[in-house]
Amino acid sequence: MVGIGLLGLGTVGTGVVEILEKRQKEIYKLTGQEIKIKRILVKDKDKDREIELDKNLITTDFKEIIDDKDIDIIVEVTGDLESSYYYIKEALNNNKHVVTANKAVVSKYFETISSMAEEKNLAFLYEASVGGGIPVLKPLKEQLDLNSITEVQGILNGTCNYILTRMFNEGLDYDEVLKIAQDLGYAEADPFADVEGHDTLRKLRILGTLSLQGKIEEEDILREGIERITSFDIRQIKMMNSTVKLLGEVKELEDGYTALVQPTIVNTNSYFANVNYAFNSIAFKGNNVGELKFYGSGAGKLPTANAVLSDILDIVQNSYRKGNPLGERDLVNLNEELNGEYYLRISLSNEKIYNAVFDISKKVLTTKDNIAVVTNKVKLIDLYEQLSKLNLDKEDYFIARILD
């Protein structure tokens, strides 16, 4: 028997329990072993839950789990940052494999935990931390044996994609769609991490560090969210025969890399334009394999729990990639070289602003109500500097890069 210590019984933890209960026969047939949850860590033992459980499984004391010799794998799905880091370290120090769905802890402590797991000759797997139910990290690691990965790009946040899809399809305002997304459970009560791009940034940090085999930290990634987009912007983008997505991208250049999370305008016939609602998609390019694309549910109870259980099965079958998957390349951040054409909307209008924007414009879309233009090919850093000189607050403008 393989014993599981489950840390957290929220949405993902509940999904793990449900799938394990339903698929016990199939799992035993595959592995020849029973996989059983031995203990579950919660904050409140008396809380009403949507699944029936043996109350003896429930504990509020992590020590009861870490000291249990029958527990082989710790599954961390608390969603917390600092306490989860403590749990993971203690698990590895007590010779227990670790599976987590927590992108925040993986992103912040990626190198530290990966090195620790390698030293202990234990598994540290985190498929569910990026792309929810999409199996992308395992294939990415496998391709690194044969390929240099030069680029990774994706729609990595279902909340943002849902909001942008409904704004585009139905002409709704941002605040209106955000409220709908919250009511439907696609967005948190506090949507800050999603709509301002932090969630996408963390996932991109994980993907980029693996892909380029060198450390790309959170602060190395330029970040813009979707919180300032308006229905006016959507109308202008539609007239460009395009739509807009929040894309994360890490790209290798000759002397380093660029890394950004930014609203991106894509032609309506392009691949990413057809990834809609809460779905995610990730693509990476290898020098031998070419471009590979992955598409599926980026979040949700059962898709994310499915990814967690896939990691568990890899550990039970001893089929996971051994050693530390992170490389040791010394990479140079070249975000100052980012350039291209950009959609720019400014809500304020005076002669100084109009003249400055006109000077960098390839095409003026409208000057009614707002100024909206397509810029000439410019460096992004220069565009930001120009806006700073105009004394504009971030709330006064919206920028989206235009993808070639």
Side-chain angles (χ1 to χ4, degrees), residues 4 6 12-13 15-17 19-20 73-77 98-102 125-129 132-133 301-315:
I4 303 293
L6 180 62
V12 179
V16 170
V17 174
I19 296 175
L20 263 182
I73 302 171
I74 296 294
V75 176
E76 190 281 311
V77 289
V98 172
V99 172
T100 184
N102 190 333
L125 302 180
Y126 36 88
E127 184 66 64
S129 69
K301 177 172 70 173
L302 296 179
T304 307
N306 190 83
V308 169
L309 284 160
S310 293
D311 280 344
I312 292 172
L313 291 179
D314 280 346
I315 293 171

Side-chain angles (χ1 to χ4, degrees), residues 185-313:
Y186 289 126
E188 300 289 343
D190 180 0
F192 166 80
D194 291 318
V195 300
E196 295 196 10
H198 295 280
D199 179 78
T200 298
L201 181 146
R202 290 166 181 149
K203 295 170 182 176
L204 186 66
R205 138 84 163 148
I206 296 166
L207 286 166
T209 295
L210 281 169
S211 296
L212 268 57
Q213 288 291 283
K215 184 188 291 187
I216 298 174
E217 300 193 75
E218 291 184 5
E219 54 266 31
D220 295 324
I221 303 173
L222 185 150
R223 175 187 55 80
E224 289 274 359
I226 67 165
E227 72 279 8
R228 299 196 306 277
I229 196 168
T230 66
S231 55
F232 172 88
D233 298 315
I234 296 293
R235 290 195 297 272
Q236 306 311 310
I237 293 166
K238 274 187 174 182
M239 287 190 287
M240 298 164 62
N241 192 34
S242 297
T243 187
V244 60
K245 301 293 182 181
L246 185 68
L247 289 187
E249 176 187 280
V250 169
K251 184 180 292 187
E252 182 173 356
L253 302 181
E254 184 176 350
D255 298 318
Y257 69 95
T258 58
L260 76 160
V261 173
Q262 191 172 35
T264 302
I265 294 171
V266 294
N267 187 278
T268 52
N269 294 322
S270 68
Y271 172 76
F272 282 120
N274 294 291
V275 179
N276 290 315
Y277 295 101
F279 286 93
N280 285 190
S281 183
I282 300 154
F284 62 82
K285 293 179 181 178
N287 63 324
N288 293 318
V289 73
E291 185 173 37
L292 298 177
K293 294 184 174 80
F294 301 80
Y295 170 90
S297 296
K301 177 172 70 173
L302 296 179
T304 307
N306 190 83
V308 169
L309 284 160
S310 293
D311 280 344
I312 292 172
L313 291 179

Side-chain angles (χ1 to χ4, degrees), residues 26-68:
E26 291 81 1
I27 290 171
Y28 185 83
K29 184 177 180 180
L30 175 68
T31 65
Q33 298 193 69
E34 180 185 8
I35 298 176
K36 185 175 182 181
I37 295 175
K38 297 283 292 180
R39 302 288 275 173
I40 303 173
L41 182 71
V42 299
K43 290 181 180 179
D44 181 3
K45 291 178 70 171
D46 299 320
K47 179 180 177 180
D48 290 333
R49 308 186 191 279
E50 59 183 80
I51 53 174
E52 291 187 10
L53 288 166
D54 181 348
K55 291 187 177 180
N56 292 323
L57 295 178
I58 305 294
T59 181
T60 58
D61 185 359
F62 175 65
K63 195 172 186 300
E64 291 183 12
I65 294 177
I66 208 69
D67 289 344
D68 190 331

Side-chain angles (χ1 to χ4, degrees), residues 3-205:
I4 303 293
L6 180 62
L7 312 183
L9 196 56
T11 300
V12 179
T14 300
V16 170
V17 174
E18 288 181 3
I19 296 175
L20 263 182
E21 288 180 349
K22 291 177 182 177
R23 306 297 293 183
Q24 275 292 346
K25 290 182 180 179
E26 291 81 1
I27 290 171
Y28 185 83
K29 184 177 180 180
L30 175 68
T31 65
Q33 298 193 69
E34 180 185 8
I35 298 176
K36 185 175 182 181
I37 295 175
K38 297 283 292 180
R39 302 288 275 173
I40 303 173
L41 182 71
V42 299
K43 290 181 180 179
D44 181 3
K45 291 178 70 171
D46 299 320
K47 179 180 177 180
D48 290 333
R49 308 186 191 279
E50 59 183 80
I51 53 174
E52 291 187 10
L53 288 166
D54 181 348
K55 291 187 177 180
N56 292 323
L57 295 178
I58 305 294
T59 181
T60 58
D61 185 359
F62 175 65
K63 195 172 186 300
E64 291 183 12
I65 294 177
I66 208 69
D67 289 344
D68 190 331
K69 303 298 183 184
D70 293 328
I71 290 177
D72 308 286
I73 302 171
I74 296 294
V75 176
E76 190 281 311
V77 289
T78 65
D80 185 73
L81 178 56
E82 297 307 327
S83 63
S84 63
Y85 180 49
Y86 168 75
Y87 295 149
I88 289 170
K89 286 194 301 180
E90 286 298 296
L92 294 172
N93 281 327
N94 284 271
N95 295 311
K96 300 182 190 298
H97 300 290
V98 172
V99 172
T100 184
N102 190 333
K103 86 275 295 183
V105 74
V106 178
S107 176
K108 185 170 183 179
Y109 299 107
F110 206 8
E111 288 76 18
T112 301
I113 301 175
S114 297
S115 295
M116 188 175 180
E118 181 183 34
E119 291 170 6
K120 298 288 186 178
N121 196 28
L122 293 165
F124 169 52
L125 302 180
Y126 36 88
E127 184 66 64
S129 69
V130 175
I134 305 172
V136 65
L137 294 181
K138 184 178 178 181
L140 175 58
K141 292 175 186 177
E142 289 172 347
Q143 292 305 321
L144 286 167
D145 292 328
L146 300 174
N147 289 264
S148 293
I149 306 299
T150 57
E151 181 178 344
V152 61
Q153 187 180 56
I155 295 170
L156 302 171
N157 183 272
T159 299
C160 290
N161 208 41
Y162 180 86
I163 291 171
L164 292 174
T165 300
R166 292 204 61 176
M167 288 183 72
F168 184 84
N169 289 350
E170 301 171 45
L172 302 175
D173 288 325
Y174 171 82
D175 289 337
E176 186 178 1
V177 183
L178 174 59
K179 177 64 166 58
I180 293 170
Q182 289 170 323
D183 291 343
L184 293 174
Y186 289 126
E188 300 289 343
D190 180 0
F192 166 80
D194 291 318
V195 300
E196 295 196 10
H198 295 280
D199 179 78
T200 298
L201 181 146
R202 290 166 181 149
K203 295 170 182 176
L204 186 66
R205 138 84 163 148

